[in-house]
Amino acid sequence: MFLGTHTPRLDDKGRLILPAKFRDELAGGVVITKGQERCLYVFPMPEFQRIAGQLREAPVTNKAARAYSRVFFASAHDEVPDKQGRVTIPAHLREYAALDRELVVIGASTRVEIWDKQSWDDYLAASEDEFADIEEGVLPVGL
């Protein structure tokens, strides 16, 4: 399970050093793709394969499933982190997420998310007030 918030920097070659805490679980390979709210999702290969299997089961006649699958898979980039735990984020994904040098990398349970620092700060400012109200709809039984 991926947890926590980290603040690495993107180097001049578009590489990110993965947080040390995440490296063992991601060492076998990752898939980086577009996420919601203009962040990037980083999946360990087994988790990506599980999601891909679910998307394959959706009927081809389902327009929303087709549209989601197209973007999800067309933007995906697979890679094995190097010995220093670095991955290269392709230009099209850096552009999508408006990544600058300052990043925020968060653990989001079964995936890692990569955010531009300013975008993350803006997201938190807009959503933290709603956090307490959201729990009821997300966790019907409560904590």
Side-chain angles (χ1 to χ4, degrees):
M1 180 179 296
F2 298 105
L3 303 170
T5 302
H6 308 270
T7 54
R9 300 182 100 198
L10 197 61
D11 73 13
D12 293 335
K13 296 179 181 178
R15 295 177 302 189
L16 160 72
I17 298 176
L18 296 166
K21 189 175 178 179
F22 298 162
R23 288 184 202 159
D24 285 346
E25 195 166 346
L26 299 175
V30 300
V31 176
I32 305 169
T33 192
K34 291 179 178 180
Q36 287 8 89
E37 290 87 31
R38 294 276 176 172
C39 74
L40 301 179
Y41 289 165
V42 180
F43 295 102
M45 190 58 74
E47 178 65 8
F48 184 82
Q49 290 169 338
R50 184 189 69 76
I51 293 166
Q54 288 180 330
L55 289 170
R56 273 193 303 274
E57 291 176 16
V60 175
T61 55
N62 182 319
K63 185 176 181 178
R66 281 194 320 270
Y68 186 83
S69 290
R70 284 180 185 132
V71 173
F72 188 75
F73 291 115
S75 65
H77 168 75
D78 61 323
E79 183 171 349
V80 175
D82 69 11
K83 291 184 189 331
Q84 289 80 37
R86 294 179 299 194
V87 291
T88 301
I89 301 173
H92 73 280
L93 291 174
R94 291 194 311 263
E95 184 179 318
Y96 167 79
L99 299 183
D100 201 4
R101 289 186 61 78
E102 301 296 323
L103 304 178
V104 174
V105 174
I106 66 165
S109 184
T110 60
R111 70 178 181 275
V112 173
E113 294 182 0
I114 302 171
W115 291 76
D116 173 73
K117 184 177 182 336
Q118 187 60 55
S119 297
W120 176 249
D121 291 345
D122 293 347
Y123 176 80
L124 279 182
S127 62
E128 278 189 330
D129 290 341
E130 300 169 6
F131 179 72
D133 297 334
I134 294 172
E135 178 193 332
E136 189 173 310
V138 175
L139 297 171
V141 182
L143 292 177

